[in-house]
Amino acid sequence: MRLYRTCLVFAGALVLIALAAPLLAPHDPNGVDLGAAVSGPSAVHPFGADGSGRDTLSRLLIGSRTALLGPIGVVVFSTVAGAAVGVAAGWRGGWLDTVLSRGSELLLAFPALLVAMLFVALYGPGLLTPVVALSLAYLPYVSRLARGLTVSEKRRPYLDSYRVQGFSGLAICVRHLVPNIAPTVLAQSTVNFGYALLDLAALSYLGLGLPPLTPDWGAMINDGQDAMMQGHFLPAVIPCVAIVLTVVAFNVVGGAWADRISRRAA
Amino acid sequence: MIGFLARRLLELAGTLAVASFLVFGAVYLAPGRPETFLLGGRGASPQLLAAIRSQYHLDDPFLVQYGRWLGDVLTGRFGESVQYRSSVLGLVGSRLPTTVTLIGMSLVLVLVFGIALGWLGAVRGGAADSGVLVGTSLALGTPSFVAGVVMQSYLAIRLHWFPDQGSGTGFADLLYHLVLPSIALSLYWIGMLARVTRTAMLDVLGQEHVTVARGRGVPERQVLRRHVFRNALGPIVTTAGLIVTGLVISTVLVEAVFTLNGVGAFLEKSVTVKDFPVVQAVALLIVAVFVLVNLVVDLLYPFIDPRVALGAREGDA
């Protein structure tokens, strides 16, 4: 419980930091201070500077924006699209269910990182391409869950009673079914946030994510590796620590929510 | 059994066929004209472009092109790398030993430490269990490339215990060069397997047959091994399948960190320079591994738990 609260506070603080990053950052994240290149922590550069003399703290703060924005995009896209596919398959059944379920199964055979790399190979790097690719890769996990929940919910009498009153299938789904399955689906999506952050950071580390000048944690690690080979560890290790702490915090919070919801449902 | 195997193999072929269609179709739909990719950004005269279009049959209808490509793939011809101007099969084949060794070493680490830690947490409880929970939380937040970079900085560059990059020469040297990469690759999955093992064993530990076995005076070691772990194997094997496929795709990252000359790094470089024949071949290879591992897990299931019918995993119900 103490771990959960710590993580919740950390995650909340991170969101605030990301929102206020331009105000908090002491330097221009791309500003070059050659005299400070690969310097350790100092009053001017609290976390030191990287091989090109860019302030690590400023890059870390500004980088937190893309680090959170990307996974939010993936989670929103994959949840909305996945829920739509899953509910449609579970509600209509028949051939639509077969086609959609088979399609999801097929997508599951493509690891998320591979889908993202294929998309980047085709459409070039950027923020949007990896986010769309990962949303597609995560879609089957959401749709499978939503389909299962819809099928079991459909058997409940309250939905029949709406049908008898003459509501259309679409209206029943949107107004009554979706709100009832939403908590479980959203809990799964919270957990997906952590995975998406890891995958996006990995792509950005490989240089397949954001454009080179954008400060991003994954790219910072890649930049920092050169300085590391010369024995200066901070520029690479600090973003590593940021990624680990962020993912752990969001995983713990998401896991706790998922637990709470499944206990309430049981 | 034979019928099941035949049906699953047919499904497998179907999945691969559709996957190949997607992989080929994606490249076909890519923005930009294929001959410019084939030239790798170099300028060319209209005559050369026309020659390339006819050499690669780019003016044929889509389905004809796909059919020809699929026929080539089925007979083991994956075409020529644009970047290296030599056969994709040879290029991938020469990089396969490094990657397979890396995956093998990591899988051993994951199975040994994942199961041991999960067992420890479930059986000991108390401080050991808390330690396992915190440790696995941390591992599950640490992607392989982060673990790799951190270990590279301290264990290789500062302390010089291990080489910081490259695959070395000869098999023994390769193993030495792969120590840090395999630890980096396995850390996340050790966390996952430990979690699954712990939960599965705790589930079984709470069941009546365990109490009965203990009541009858069966030694605790035997209770744990034969009655608890044996029954917890189902989820462990399912997760192990997931882990093999996860290791396969994560080699891309770890090989990039340690500049290993493997298939993963090759895929990454080919994506960067849009070397599509290589990307298509490696993507298909990865999907094939994915599907095959799933088949193996399904086949293993009835051996682990005779109550489960062939093809029906636990939790499917």
Side-chain angles (χ1 to χ4, degrees):
Chain A
M1 218 49 224
R2 203 179 339 140
L3 182 68
Y4 167 70
R5 227 169 284 156
T6 316
C7 288
L8 192 64
V9 170
F10 182 83
L14 200 68
V15 172
L16 292 180
I17 287 174
L19 287 173
L23 300 175
L24 296 172
H27 299 273
D28 172 8
N30 286 320
V32 172
D33 176 3
L34 276 179
V38 295
S39 63
S42 63
V44 188
H45 302 289
F47 284 173
D50 70 4
S52 329
R54 296 175 297 190
D55 181 54
T56 303
L57 177 63
S58 304
R59 292 183 75 71
L60 195 70
L61 290 173
I62 301 287
S64 68
R65 314 188 104 190
T66 43
L68 297 185
L69 200 61
I72 289 174
V74 173
V75 166
V76 170
F77 281 150
S78 64
T79 306
V80 171
V85 168
V87 169
W91 184 263
R92 290 291 292 275
W95 65 268
L96 189 69
D97 186 21
T98 313
V99 170
L100 291 178
S101 299
R102 283 286 146 154
S104 306
E105 269 169 46
L106 186 79
L107 264 181
L108 285 174
F110 286 86
L113 201 58
L114 179 65
V115 177
M117 291 180 81
L118 283 174
F119 267 65
V120 171
L122 298 171
Y123 300 102
L127 179 61
L128 199 62
T129 310
V131 167
V132 170
L134 286 182
S135 307
L136 193 66
Y138 288 4
L139 190 152
Y141 295 95
V142 182
S143 71
R144 200 170 50 173
L145 180 68
R147 181 191 168 276
L149 290 167
T150 305
V151 168
S152 61
E153 202 70 12
K154 220 171 94 180
R155 300 196 198 105
R156 316 268 292 274
Y158 77 93
L159 289 177
D160 285 333
S161 82
Y162 285 120
R163 214 169 314 165
V164 171
Q165 290 172 52
F167 286 101
S168 71
L170 186 68
I172 300 175
C173 281
V174 172
R175 269 194 235 143
H176 306 285
L177 179 79
V178 170
N180 277 323
I181 66 169
T184 316
V185 174
L186 288 179
Q188 170 67 43
S189 295
T190 324
V191 178
N192 283 348
F193 184 92
Y195 294 128
L197 204 159
L198 290 185
D199 281 337
L200 285 170
L203 282 170
S204 151
Y205 170 76
L206 292 175
L208 302 175
L210 297 155
L213 270 179
T214 325
D216 185 75
W217 295 350
M220 284 173 75
I221 299 176
N222 196 346
D223 293 342
Q225 251 186 317
D226 292 332
M228 207 173 81
M229 293 297 169
Q230 299 154 27
H232 304 285
F233 300 130
L234 274 186
V237 171
I238 283 179
C240 284
V241 174
I243 289 178
V244 173
L245 289 180
T246 308
V247 174
V248 169
F250 277 96
N251 276 351
V252 168
V253 172
W257 286 355
D259 272 1
R260 208 175 287 176
I261 285 162
S262 66
R263 229 176 292 144
R264 202 183 298 158
Chain B
M1 178 75 196
I2 301 289
F4 170 77
L5 198 62
R7 207 179 68 229
R8 281 308 304 264
L9 283 174
L10 212 68
E11 272 180 35
L12 192 153
T15 308
L16 279 179
V18 183
S20 74
F21 187 78
L22 287 180
V23 167
F24 184 82
V27 172
Y28 185 83
L29 288 175
R33 292 190 316 189
E35 61 267 32
T36 34
F37 293 141
L38 289 168
L39 282 166
R42 290 183 301 260
S45 63
Q47 287 86 348
L48 182 55
L49 283 178
I52 289 176
R53 288 197 78 85
S54 76
Q55 185 198 338
Y56 287 91
H57 307 282
L58 293 175
D59 293 320
D60 288 351
F62 169 65
L63 282 177
V64 174
Q65 288 190 37
Y66 171 65
R68 185 178 296 114
W69 177 75
L70 189 65
D72 280 353
V73 166
L74 286 177
T75 48
R77 283 172 299 175
F78 284 87
E80 221 179 50
S81 154
V82 177
Q83 196 188 0
Y84 292 92
R85 306 260 158 216
S86 63
S87 130
V88 171
L89 208 60
L91 290 166
V92 171
S94 67
R95 287 166 173 79
L96 215 48
T98 306
T99 303
V100 170
T101 315
L102 175 61
I103 294 171
M105 284 170 76
S106 307
L107 188 61
V108 171
L109 287 177
V110 171
L111 291 178
V112 169
F113 287 99
I115 292 174
L117 287 174
W119 181 306
L120 186 79
V123 172
R124 282 283 170 82
D129 195 24
S130 309
V132 168
L133 278 179
V134 171
T136 51
S137 289
L138 213 57
L140 287 174
T142 310
S144 53
F145 68 100
V146 165
V149 167
V150 172
M151 284 197 297
Q152 190 183 36
S153 66
Y154 287 99
L155 300 180
I157 298 174
R158 179 164 289 179
L159 299 173
H160 298 291
W161 286 356
F162 297 97
D164 55 7
Q165 52 186 326
S167 323
T169 44
F171 189 65
D173 201 30
L174 175 67
L175 290 184
Y176 180 51
H177 276 78
L178 289 182
V179 172
L180 289 186
S182 60
I183 297 175
L185 190 53
S186 47
L187 209 60
Y188 178 90
W189 304 103
I190 288 176
M192 176 172 279
L193 189 61
R195 277 284 171 92
V196 170
T197 306
R198 177 183 170 275
T199 312
M201 284 190 63
L202 282 177
D203 274 356
V204 182
L205 272 168
Q207 285 173 16
E208 282 172 353
H209 75 265
V210 177
T211 318
V212 170
R214 280 180 180 153
R216 285 177 58 217
V218 179
E220 187 64 18
R221 284 182 67 130
Q222 219 173 30
V223 172
L224 289 178
R225 224 177 326 173
R226 283 211 197 143
H227 299 263
V228 178
F229 183 67
R230 186 82 174 71
N231 276 305
L233 259 180
I236 295 175
V237 169
T238 306
T239 311
L242 206 76
I243 286 170
V244 175
T245 54
L247 290 176
V248 169
I249 189 66
S250 306
T251 54
V252 174
L253 294 162
V254 173
E255 289 179 1
V257 173
F258 292 93
T259 46
L260 298 172
N261 195 14
V263 180
F266 190 40
L267 172 65
E268 181 236 324
K269 284 192 196 102
S270 307
V271 165
T272 317
V273 301
K274 294 182 185 277
D275 192 346
F276 285 123
V278 176
V279 175
Q280 284 174 328
V282 177
L284 267 188
L285 181 71
I286 291 175
V287 173
V289 171
F290 223 85
V291 182
L292 265 178
V293 169
N294 265 316
L295 177 65
V296 170
V297 169
D298 275 353
L299 288 179
L300 277 177
Y301 235 92
F303 291 100
I304 298 162
D305 189 345
R307 289 165 303 182
V308 177
L310 203 56
R313 292 190 194 178
E314 210 164 290
D316 277 359

